[in-house]
Amino acid sequence: MTAKRKVEVFSAGCPACMEVVALVQSMACPSCEVEVLDMGEIAVAQRAKSLGVRSVPAVAIDGRLAACCAGRGVDEASLRAAGLGQP
């Protein structure tokens, strides 16, 4: 018997998120357990933060954030470099 692979999709319910949900579901095999998680729920947001999620959509497989979803997100330095907060 093959062990189940846990796939968590962190979503805000937007069209971009739904596109990723559809992609993950189409790629999932019988041993994949796909769970779509609503970032509007506090427990889900806490779980996402613990995995390093900085933007959605994001996918974690077996408790590890997929490489395609790491290192993104808003940060103050990038916003300042783009001119935010400057006259």
Side-chain angles (χ1 to χ4, degrees), residues 54-55 71-75 78:
R54 297 189 66 204
S55 63
R72 300 183 320 176
V74 177
D75 68 86
S78 295

Side-chain angles (χ1 to χ4, degrees), residues 1-80:
M1 180 172 182
T2 305
K4 287 281 186 183
R5 172 165 283 135
K6 183 177 182 181
V7 181
E8 299 166 286
V9 183
F10 295 90
S11 170
C14 65
C17 292
M18 293 299 97
E19 187 175 315
V20 170
V21 168
L23 174 65
V24 168
Q25 289 174 334
S26 73
M27 293 178 66
C29 66
S31 64
C32 293
E33 180 184 318
V34 177
E35 185 176 6
V36 179
L37 303 166
D38 180 357
M39 288 291 285
E41 296 177 18
I42 292 172
V44 171
Q46 290 171 337
R47 168 79 175 141
K49 184 176 181 178
S50 76
L51 292 171
V53 172
R54 297 189 66 204
S55 63
V56 291
V59 180
I61 302 170
D62 291 335
R64 297 186 68 197
L65 189 59
C68 60
C69 303
R72 300 183 320 176
V74 177
D75 68 86
E76 184 177 342
S78 295
L79 293 174
R80 291 205 183 278

